[in-house]
Amino acid sequence: MTALVWLRHDLRVHDNPALFKAAESGQGVVAVYVHCDAYVRLHTIAPAQLDFVRRHLHIMAKDLTSLNIPLLVVRVQKPAEIAPELLRIAQRVQAGHCYFNAEYPVNELNRDIAVNQLLRDNGILVKRCHDRCIVPPGMIRNGQGDPYKVFTAFKKKWLQTMMPVAIKPLASPAKQAAVSDVTTVSIDDINQLFSAHELRDLSELWPAGEAEAYRRLDLFIEKSITRYLDQRDFPSIDGTSSLSPYFAVGSLSPRQAIAAVLAYTHGEWEGGNAGANCWISELIWREFYQHVAVDYPQVCKRKAMQAHTEAFPWRYDKTLFAAWCEGKTGIPIVDAAMRQLNATGWMHNRLRMVVAMFLTKNCQIDWRWGEDYFMSQLIDGEFTANNGGWQWSASTGTDAAPYFRIFNPISQSERFDPNGDFIRNWIPELGHLSNKQIHNPPPVDNYPRPIVDLNMSRKETIALFAQLTPVAH
Ligand SMILES: Cc1cc2nc3c(=O)[nH]c(=O)nc-3n(C[C@H](O)[C@H](O)[C@H](O)COP(=O)(O)OP(=O)(O)OC[C@H]3O[C@@H](n4cnc5c(N)ncnc54)[C@H](O)[C@@H]3O)c2cc1C
């Protein structure tokens, strides 16, 4: 009997619990990746991320083959076809077990339940491992046994839970006994998986693979982590790790990241290195939103986390929305950020908050439109972080920004891009303006006037939110 490993958003050989456990089981191992066309459409996966996954699979095929683990790939049209296809493959390679790493949002959970059921009904045991979060959802609870709604309290409990535990990422599995009659797919077979979709090659900016992820992690820790707290909000400074795409497809695990930081801080979680503490905090935000998706499953069904905010009269103005998407709102920091997103598949965190607040609070456009547009462009698009970030910005989510605290994009620009370096880089039309003028420019040829009045729209939004009545818990 062999062991089948179903790879999903865990495209690495090191510290991969499902792969490691399958290899430990002492049987031959076969890996499989299933691509579902409908899933890509349903989740508006960006062409840049699809191509990133494709490139990762090329590397995985090679890395796995060197361990005598053949990689198979399958393409299905609809989610309902996934379980029967996996059964077919499991039977073909004579698998006694199927291993995979858990994914927590509702669609993924239902998919995995269906696979578990069908495989078990056919005598194949399913082993679900925890990988995407360091502390699995459901394990961080307050004194009453309830989930946390507030990040700071969640973080405190998360740290209490983890600080006594040694974090030791798993090694790559040992070389396996060869599996007869099963050979790794070709590069063409992998490319064929994506033939129904547009792909966007951003390989120069975002090389694929776990080796690249470690290179970035090491470089960030060596050069930037100590100054992370001071630099992370300034988009013209390369002050963050740019690891989010690697976390999103799973070529880097959060355990590997935290272990590397703790090695640097000599095991201090909250000690002297304020930059390292702050970066660990960001990784806990990542965990928090994955827990939220399990504890408040309405967020997976296109619903606001806070039900009463569903009554907000969002606008569906396609002209305003198109101006935002294209970086033509007339607010330079917003436009520069959107142009960064459109050109690189990534946007700086501070600017994600600025553009999301501008769209929801100044244009009053439904946060779901922004959430979808981000997913359609981001190479690091990840449902829980994206949904969490949008609902936070729209004041509909857990630990929400209070609705009356609305970022003014011009003040944000003055504060976090004081010399206008980031704006000049993305909006050459404004390059000649002074450091003072560039944030709120006078009329300039080839650059639009603001599409909304920031002050009026802000007041209107606050008044509209004030009319909503929170539901008592
Ligand atoms: C509206 C909005 C949408 C977002 N959409 C996504 C998304 O689709 N995918 C995504 O990975 N992140 C998303 N984020 C979170 C954050 O902006 C990015 O993770 C971060 O900018 C990635 O850059 P970095 O890797 O250099 O981060 P660093 O600052 O180096 O942080 C390290 C890691 O921590 C995690 N992280 C950091 N901030 C957050 C956060 N606020 N929430 C959750 N995880 C965080 C990421 O995995 C990141 O790679 C979103 C934030 C907002 C406000």
Side-chain angles (χ1 to χ4, degrees):
M1 287 294 216
T2 64
L4 185 67
V5 179
W6 176 18
L7 296 171
R8 298 102 71 92
H9 293 92
D10 51 359
L11 299 178
R12 64 181 185 281
V13 294
H14 293 85
D15 194 42
N16 185 325
L19 185 64
F20 192 84
K21 287 191 181 144
E24 258 190 338
S25 67
Q27 310 154 319
V29 178
V30 176
V32 61
Y33 181 83
V34 182
H35 170 87
C36 175
D37 286 339
Y39 183 90
V40 172
R41 283 192 294 275
L42 191 68
H43 292 260
T44 49
I45 310 287
Q49 189 175 86
L50 279 182
D51 192 64
F52 197 50
V53 169
R54 182 185 68 86
R55 290 184 281 119
H56 271 84
L57 287 173
H58 290 180
I59 295 170
M60 284 300 280
K62 205 161 139 251
D63 290 352
L64 289 168
T65 305
S66 72
L67 299 170
N68 266 350
I69 300 175
L71 172 66
L72 306 179
V73 295
V74 185
R75 177 172 163 197
V76 298
Q77 303 290 320
K78 302 192 291 273
E81 294 165 23
I82 294 175
E85 271 302 316
L86 278 171
L87 176 62
R88 188 182 64 75
I89 289 191
Q91 288 175 332
R92 188 184 129 208
V93 303
Q94 298 180 340
H97 290 80
C98 175
Y99 293 80
F100 57 77
N101 292 315
E103 295 188 338
Y104 308 109
V106 169
N107 284 345
E108 286 73 6
L109 203 61
N110 288 339
R111 174 197 64 190
D112 293 350
I113 290 168
V115 167
N116 182 30
Q117 188 68 51
L118 189 68
L119 265 56
R120 275 177 188 256
D121 288 350
N122 285 275
I124 298 160
L125 290 180
V126 172
K127 305 266 184 193
R128 179 177 182 256
C129 307
H130 288 290
D131 170 58
R132 279 193 84 69
C133 285
I134 296 181
V135 183
M139 289 185 63
I140 301 286
R141 291 288 184 255
N142 65 18
Q144 288 72 50
D146 295 326
Y148 289 99
K149 292 193 177 112
V150 177
F151 173 72
T152 38
F154 174 90
K155 176 184 156 185
K156 197 167 163 217
K157 191 62 183 273
W158 191 98
L159 283 169
Q160 275 170 9
T161 310
M162 281 315 298
M163 279 167 64
V165 180
I167 296 192
K168 288 197 187 130
L170 299 164
S172 157
K175 191 161 182 171
Q176 299 294 295
V179 179
S180 52
D181 298 333
V182 188
T183 44
T184 288
V185 290
S186 67
I187 296 292
D188 281 349
D189 292 329
I190 292 173
N191 293 345
Q192 197 55 35
L193 286 181
F194 303 93
S195 58
H197 311 283
E198 186 194 337
L199 295 179
R200 183 168 181 209
D201 180 359
L202 292 177
S203 52
E204 282 194 15
L205 286 173
W206 305 105
E210 53 193 301
E212 173 65 14
Y214 301 147
R215 190 191 69 76
R216 286 177 183 236
L217 177 64
D218 291 347
L219 193 71
F220 171 69
I221 291 177
E222 190 191 317
K223 297 249 190 281
S224 309
I225 201 166
T226 300
R227 282 171 296 158
Y228 179 72
L229 181 62
D230 305 323
Q231 297 195 333
R232 71 192 183 112
D233 279 317
F234 294 86
S236 66
I237 299 177
D238 204 5
T240 69
S241 69
S242 70
L243 281 169
S244 48
Y246 302 86
F247 285 121
V249 304
S251 44
L252 185 69
S253 79
R255 285 177 305 278
Q256 291 172 314
I258 299 250
V261 178
L262 293 178
Y264 179 74
T265 61
H266 306 289
E268 292 260 21
W269 286 85
E270 294 192 293
N273 190 323
N277 302 344
C278 182
W279 200 64
I280 289 177
S281 216
E282 295 308 307
L283 293 174
I284 304 175
W285 269 107
R286 181 183 170 278
E287 303 247 324
F288 178 55
Y289 285 137
Q290 298 199 55
H291 285 232
V292 166
V294 174
D295 290 325
Y296 305 96
Q298 67 269 33
V299 305
C300 301
K301 298 173 186 162
R302 293 187 78 73
K303 291 275 186 280
M305 153 76 201
Q306 297 188 55
H308 74 282
T309 63
E310 287 290 356
F312 189 89
W314 298 113
R315 292 168 72 187
Y316 298 91
D317 183 323
K318 289 187 177 158
T319 310
L320 280 188
F321 183 62
W324 178 83
C325 294
E326 290 165 22
K328 293 183 181 163
T329 66
I331 308 292
I333 196 71
V334 172
D335 294 340
M338 294 307 290
R339 293 180 195 192
Q340 178 184 43
L341 172 66
N342 294 337
T344 69
W346 185 88
M347 189 194 289
H348 189 276
N349 179 59
R350 168 65 42 185
L351 301 181
R352 293 189 204 210
M353 294 188 283
V354 169
V355 303
M357 279 228 186
F358 175 77
L359 186 74
T360 54
K361 303 290 180 54
N362 294 110
C363 300
Q364 292 161 1
I365 286 184
D366 194 326
W367 54 272
R368 283 159 278 233
W369 279 23
E371 181 192 14
D372 287 349
Y373 186 72
F374 263 35
M375 280 306 280
S376 76
Q377 298 299 316
L378 282 171
I379 192 164
D380 69 13
E382 199 276 321
F383 170 75
T384 57
N386 194 40
N387 181 275
W390 274 96
Q391 295 224 34
W392 183 91
S393 306
S395 303
T396 62
T398 181
D399 196 21
Y403 67 82
F404 47 83
R405 213 175 288 153
I406 296 179
F407 287 179
N408 179 319
I410 292 170
S411 321
Q412 292 282 310
S413 182
E414 288 165 345
R415 189 163 162 209
F416 296 113
D417 189 28
N419 299 329
D421 295 334
F422 184 81
I423 295 175
R424 279 193 186 83
N425 188 35
W426 291 103
I427 316 182
E429 305 91 287
L430 303 180
H432 62 285
L433 295 177
S434 70
N435 292 358
K436 194 167 179 326
Q437 276 183 320
I438 198 161
H439 307 284
N440 189 9
V444 167
D445 279 352
N446 298 326
Y447 187 69
R449 299 302 299 148
I451 56 170
V452 284
D453 181 312
L454 293 177
N455 285 334
M456 263 173 53
S457 56
R458 176 179 175 279
K459 282 188 191 143
E460 199 178 276
T461 300
I462 290 175
L464 288 168
F465 260 104
Q467 288 167 18
L468 306 177
T469 318
V471 180
H473 292 287

Coordinates of all heavy atoms in Angstrom, one line a residue, residues 8 15 23 27 36 92 99 101 116 134 199 203 216-217 219 238 336 342 352 374 379 383 387 389 418 442-443 455:
R8 N -2.0 21.2 -1.5 CA -2.9 22.3 -1.8 C -2.1 23.6 -1.7 O -1.2 23.9 -2.5 CB -4.2 22.3 -0.9 CG -5.0 21.1 -1.1 CD -4.9 20.1 0.0 NE -5.4 20.5 1.2 CZ -6.7 20.2 1.6 NH1 -7.5 19.5 0.8 NH2 -7.1 20.6 2.8
D15 N 9.1 21.1 6.3 CA 8.1 21.5 7.3 C 6.7 21.3 6.7 O 5.9 22.2 6.8 CB 8.3 22.9 7.8 CG 7.5 23.1 9.1 OD1 7.4 22.2 9.9 OD2 6.9 24.2 9.2
A23 N 5.5 10.2 4.6 CA 6.8 9.6 4.4 C 7.2 8.7 5.6 O 7.8 7.7 5.4 CB 7.8 10.7 4.1
Q27 N 5.6 3.6 3.8 CA 5.1 3.0 2.5 C 5.7 3.9 1.4 O 6.3 4.9 1.7 CB 3.6 3.1 2.5 CG 3.0 2.5 3.7 CD 1.6 3.1 4.0 OE1 1.4 4.3 3.8 NE2 0.7 2.3 4.4
C36 N -8.9 23.0 -9.8 CA -10.4 23.1 -10.1 C -10.7 24.4 -10.8 O -10.5 25.5 -10.2 CB -11.2 22.9 -8.8 SG -12.9 23.2 -9.0
R92 N -5.8 3.9 -8.1 CA -4.8 3.6 -9.1 C -3.4 3.4 -8.5 O -2.6 2.5 -8.9 CB -4.7 4.8 -10.1 CG -3.9 4.4 -11.3 CD -3.7 5.6 -12.2 NE -2.3 5.9 -12.5 CZ -1.8 7.0 -12.8 NH1 -2.6 8.1 -12.9 NH2 -0.5 7.1 -13.1
Y99 N -3.2 11.8 3.0 CA -2.8 12.8 3.9 C -3.0 14.2 3.3 O -2.7 14.4 2.1 CB -1.3 12.7 4.3 CG -0.9 11.5 5.1 CD1 -0.8 10.2 4.5 CD2 -0.8 11.5 6.5 CE1 -0.4 9.1 5.2 CE2 -0.4 10.4 7.2 CZ -0.2 9.2 6.6 OH 0.1 8.1 7.3
N101 N -3.0 18.7 4.5 CA -3.0 19.7 5.5 C -4.3 20.5 5.5 O -4.8 20.9 4.4 CB -1.8 20.7 5.2 CG -0.5 20.0 5.5 OD1 -0.3 19.3 6.5 ND2 0.4 20.1 4.5
N116 N -13.1 13.1 2.6 CA -12.9 12.2 3.7 C -14.0 11.1 3.6 O -13.6 9.9 3.8 CB -13.0 13.0 5.0 CG -12.8 12.2 6.2 OD1 -12.1 11.2 6.2 ND2 -13.5 12.5 7.3
I134 N -0.3 28.1 13.3 CA 0.6 27.4 14.3 C -0.3 26.9 15.4 O -0.1 25.7 15.8 CB 1.6 28.4 14.8 CG1 2.6 28.8 13.7 CG2 2.4 27.8 16.0 CD1 3.7 29.8 14.1
L199 N -2.9 33.8 -17.4 CA -1.8 33.7 -16.5 C -1.0 35.0 -16.6 O -0.9 35.6 -17.7 CB -0.9 32.5 -16.8 CG -1.5 31.1 -16.6 CD1 -0.4 30.1 -17.0 CD2 -1.9 30.9 -15.2
S203 N 7.5 36.6 -12.7 CA 8.6 35.8 -12.1 C 9.9 36.6 -11.8 O 10.6 36.3 -10.9 CB 9.0 34.6 -13.0 OG 9.3 35.1 -14.3
R216 N 14.5 35.3 1.1 CA 13.9 36.6 1.5 C 13.8 36.6 3.1 O 14.0 37.7 3.6 CB 12.5 36.6 0.9 CG 12.5 37.0 -0.5 CD 11.1 37.0 -1.2 NE 11.3 37.2 -2.6 CZ 10.7 38.2 -3.3 NH1 9.9 39.0 -2.7 NH2 11.0 38.4 -4.5
L217 N 13.4 35.5 3.7 CA 13.3 35.5 5.1 C 14.6 35.8 5.8 O 14.7 36.7 6.7 CB 12.8 34.1 5.6 CG 12.7 33.8 7.1 CD1 11.6 34.7 7.7 CD2 12.3 32.4 7.3
L219 N 17.2 37.4 4.5 CA 17.6 38.8 4.2 C 16.9 39.8 5.1 O 17.4 40.7 5.6 CB 17.3 39.0 2.7 CG 18.0 40.3 2.1 CD1 19.5 40.1 2.0 CD2 17.4 40.5 0.7
D238 N 11.8 49.8 1.7 CA 11.7 48.3 1.6 C 11.8 47.7 3.0 O 12.7 47.0 3.3 CB 12.9 47.9 0.7 CG 12.6 46.6 0.0 OD1 11.5 46.1 0.2 OD2 13.5 46.0 -0.6
A336 N -1.4 56.0 -6.5 CA -0.1 55.4 -6.6 C -0.2 54.0 -6.0 O 0.4 53.0 -6.6 CB 0.9 56.2 -5.7
N342 N -1.6 47.1 -9.5 CA -1.9 46.6 -10.8 C -0.6 46.2 -11.5 O -0.6 45.3 -12.4 CB -2.6 47.7 -11.6 CG -4.0 48.0 -11.1 OD1 -4.6 47.1 -10.5 ND2 -4.5 49.1 -11.3
R352 N -2.9 49.3 1.7 CA -4.1 48.5 1.6 C -5.2 49.1 2.4 O -6.4 49.2 2.1 CB -3.8 47.0 2.0 CG -2.9 46.3 1.0 CD -2.7 44.8 1.3 NE -1.5 44.4 0.7 CZ -1.2 43.1 0.3 NH1 -2.2 42.2 0.3 NH2 0.0 42.8 -0.2
F374 N -9.2 43.1 -5.2 CA -7.9 42.7 -4.6 C -7.5 41.3 -5.0 O -6.4 41.0 -5.4 CB -7.9 42.9 -3.1 CG -7.3 44.2 -2.6 CD1 -7.5 45.4 -3.3 CD2 -6.6 44.3 -1.4 CE1 -7.0 46.6 -2.9 CE2 -6.1 45.4 -0.9 CZ -6.3 46.6 -1.7
I379 N -0.9 38.8 -6.0 CA -0.2 37.5 -6.0 C -0.2 36.8 -4.7 O -0.1 35.6 -4.5 CB 1.3 37.7 -6.5 CG1 1.9 36.4 -6.8 CG2 2.1 38.5 -5.5 CD1 3.2 36.5 -7.7
F383 N -7.8 34.3 1.1 CA -9.2 34.7 1.5 C -9.3 35.3 2.9 O -9.9 36.4 3.1 CB -10.2 33.5 1.3 CG -11.5 33.8 1.9 CD1 -12.4 34.7 1.3 CD2 -11.8 33.3 3.2 CE1 -13.6 35.0 1.9 CE2 -13.0 33.7 3.8 CZ -13.9 34.5 3.1
N387 N -10.3 39.1 3.3 CA -11.6 39.4 3.9 C -11.5 40.2 5.2 O -12.2 41.2 5.5 CB -12.4 38.1 4.0 CG -13.8 38.3 4.6 OD1 -14.0 38.4 5.8 ND2 -14.7 38.4 3.7
G389 N -9.0 42.0 6.3 CA -8.5 43.4 6.0 C -9.6 44.3 5.5 O -9.7 45.5 5.9
P418 N 6.3 61.3 3.3 CA 6.4 62.8 3.5 C 7.1 63.5 2.3 O 6.7 64.6 2.0 CB 7.3 62.9 4.8 CG 7.9 61.6 5.0 CD 7.0 60.6 4.4
P442 N -2.7 70.8 -7.1 CA -3.5 71.7 -7.9 C -3.8 71.0 -9.2 O -3.2 70.0 -9.5 CB -2.6 72.9 -8.1 CG -1.2 72.4 -8.0 CD -1.2 71.2 -7.0
P443 N -4.7 71.6 -10.0 CA -4.9 71.0 -11.3 C -3.6 70.8 -12.1 O -2.8 71.6 -12.2 CB -5.8 72.0 -12.0 CG -6.5 72.7 -10.9 CD -5.5 72.8 -9.8
N455 N -14.1 65.5 2.7 CA -14.7 65.9 4.0 C -16.2 65.6 4.0 O -16.7 65.1 5.0 CB -14.5 67.4 4.2 CG -13.0 67.6 4.7 OD1 -12.4 66.7 5.3 ND2 -12.5 68.8 4.4

